[in-house]
């Protein structure tokens, strides 16, 4: 039984999501190989080779994979995947884009967003905004799986896998890269941040988020928001945490002025420690919080900032 993990990267460095997908693959058991598809991505391959449990790194280095277009990557994974028992990718924007295409080409059913491995063919995945967990068993010969990375821990970097180049070029010729508009920030990305402080509708306006940013800078934290704050136009939607935003599981999550709607809880309830600040003592957020402070955030946050 051999498992293929698709690496998440930016052609320069390996993203931490890959560490967590390898952890899921380790729980399944068997040999683990990693596919690094990109352009000028040798450094990524070397980083992938260090992941504990990985026996081989396959490198598809070609211009058609530079931006990981789903049409091209989907073809590559489907072609290589015929020789594997499992194919795993992170349940990220990239993974959700290309893996269903590979599943269709291989004529198998994809298992999405797993949070637990019960056996080599049985997995757990959330539904109903995380309020229920489905146990799914697959009889397909090749099991294509996306992994909710917030549910798994990073593997260590004690490995020394072999690195092998492959000449498999799959250019579908039906899409092309135009441009990317990326938010540039010195703060960590929400998906990889150890600490996150998020604001909700209680922040009242976007200007007040500067209070959270001051605290975040002292904690080395990422800044997030609830859907209510995003929909109100306080902050851009790339800051949204929740069922329709980013799924996060930092060591510390601080929810400020967030009532705790079920959609928001689905995105952050796996955080190691949850702190809630809300002036409504009956707010649902307190039901999942490890520490709760029923107070006006406009008093509590400046005091927290001064103490820090």
């Amino acid at each position: 039984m051999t498992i293929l993990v698709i690496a998440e990267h930016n052609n320069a460095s390996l993203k931490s999501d890959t560490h967590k997908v390898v952890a899921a693959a380790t729980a399944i058991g068997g040999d683990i190989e990693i596919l690094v598809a990109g352009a000028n991505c040798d450094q990524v391959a070397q980083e992938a080779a260090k992941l504990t449990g990985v026996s081989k790194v396959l490198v598809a280095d070609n211009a058609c994979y530079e931006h990981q277009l789903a049409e091209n990557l989907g073809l590559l994974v489907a072609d290589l995947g015929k020789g594997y028992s499992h194919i795993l990718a992170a349940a990220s924007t990239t993974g959700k884009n290309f893996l269903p295409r590979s599943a269709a080409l291989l004529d198998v059913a994809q298992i999405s967003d797993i949070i637990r491995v019960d056996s080599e063919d049985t997995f757990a995945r959330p539904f109903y905004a995380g309020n229920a967990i489905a146990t799914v068993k697959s009889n397909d010969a090749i099991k294509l799986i996306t992994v909710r990375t917030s549910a798994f821990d990073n593997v260590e970097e004690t490995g020394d896998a072999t690195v092998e180049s492959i000449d498999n070029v799959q250019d579908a010729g039906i899409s092309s890269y135009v441009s990317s508009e990326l938010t540039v920030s010195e703060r960590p990305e929400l998906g990889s941040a150890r600490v996150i402080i998020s604001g909700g509708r209680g922040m009242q306006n976007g200007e007040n988020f500067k209070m959270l940013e001051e605290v975040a800078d002292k904690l080395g934290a990422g800044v997030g928001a609830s859907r209510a704050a995003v929909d109100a136009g306080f902050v851009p939607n790339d800051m949204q945490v929740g069922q329709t935003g980013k799924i996060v599981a930092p060591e510390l999550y601080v929810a400020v002025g967030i009532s705790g709607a079920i959609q928001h809880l689905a995105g952050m309830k796996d955080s190691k420690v949850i702190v809630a600040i809300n002036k409504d003592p009956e707010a649902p957020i307190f039901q999942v919080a490890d520490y709760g402070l029923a107070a006006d955030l406009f008093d509590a946050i400046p005091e927290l900032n001064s103490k820090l």
Side-chain angles (χ1 to χ4, degrees):
M1 187 169 70
T2 308
I3 302 167
L4 181 65
V5 170
I6 315 303
E8 285 265 336
H9 63 91
N10 61 2
N11 292 310
S13 61
L14 192 68
K15 294 186 178 180
S16 63
D17 280 355
T18 308
H19 294 63
K20 297 176 181 181
V21 178
V22 170
T26 302
I28 295 172
D31 291 333
I32 301 171
E33 298 182 3
I34 293 183
L35 171 64
V36 175
N40 300 314
C41 52
D42 288 341
Q43 177 60 34
V44 178
Q46 297 304 318
E47 291 179 23
K50 296 178 182 177
L51 299 186
T52 304
V54 175
S55 61
K56 184 188 292 184
V57 177
L58 304 176
V59 184
D61 195 326
N62 190 279
C64 72
Y65 302 130
E66 180 176 3
H67 302 289
Q68 296 193 313
L69 298 177
E71 293 79 5
N72 299 346
L73 191 54
L75 284 172
L76 173 64
V77 172
D79 188 42
L80 289 177
K82 296 170 185 175
Y84 293 88
S85 60
H86 300 71
I87 302 173
L88 273 62
S92 61
T93 302
T94 301
K96 290 176 180 177
N97 203 3
F98 79 84
L99 202 64
R101 300 168 188 269
S102 301
L105 291 166
L106 292 169
D107 195 25
V108 298
Q110 177 179 305
I111 303 171
S112 301
D113 225 21
I114 69 163
I115 59 170
R116 191 181 72 238
V117 175
D118 290 341
S119 70
E120 65 183 56
D121 62 1
T122 307
F123 312 91
R125 62 179 302 273
F127 66 116
Y128 290 142
N131 283 289
I133 306 298
T135 301
V136 181
K137 182 173 182 177
S138 171
N139 293 323
D140 287 327
I142 306 173
K143 297 164 181 60
L144 273 72
I145 300 165
T146 59
V147 177
R148 179 175 289 194
T149 53
S150 62
F152 295 87
D153 294 326
N154 285 353
V155 294
E156 295 182 356
E157 297 182 356
T158 59
D160 186 21
T162 59
V163 178
E164 178 182 313
S165 295
I166 58 174
D167 298 324
N168 195 324
V169 178
Q170 299 281 350
D171 189 347
I174 57 175
S175 64
S176 60
Y177 172 79
V178 177
S179 65
S180 298
E181 293 185 17
L182 304 175
T183 301
V184 179
S185 174
E186 294 181 358
R187 299 187 184 92
E189 292 184 12
L190 291 177
S192 58
R194 291 178 56 251
V195 180
I196 294 174
I197 180 166
S198 288
R201 199 199 310 269
M203 298 302 297
Q204 297 183 2
N205 58 57
E207 190 71 17
N208 289 332
F209 267 79
K210 289 182 179 177
M211 292 193 305
L212 303 188
E213 291 171 358
E214 290 177 6
V215 173
D217 289 340
K218 292 182 178 179
L219 294 174
V223 179
S226 68
R227 178 168 181 170
V230 171
D231 286 351
F234 297 170
V235 291
N237 60 11
D238 60 353
M239 291 173 60
Q240 183 179 328
V241 173
Q243 184 183 11
T244 53
K246 292 181 172 68
I247 308 293
V248 300
E251 294 179 21
L252 172 63
Y253 187 88
V254 184
V256 181
I258 295 174
S259 62
I262 189 172
Q263 292 87 353
H264 187 75
L265 299 183
M268 45 64 75
K269 66 181 182 181
D270 290 330
S271 304
K272 305 299 184 291
V273 176
I274 299 172
V275 175
I277 300 174
N278 197 300
K279 66 181 180 182
D280 178 8
E282 302 300 320
I285 191 71
F286 288 124
Q287 296 176 15
V288 299
D290 297 287
Y291 300 92
L293 178 61
D296 189 325
L297 70 89
F298 294 102
D299 295 327
I301 295 301
E303 185 175 353
L304 173 62
N305 192 28
S306 66
K307 292 285 195 297
L308 289 170

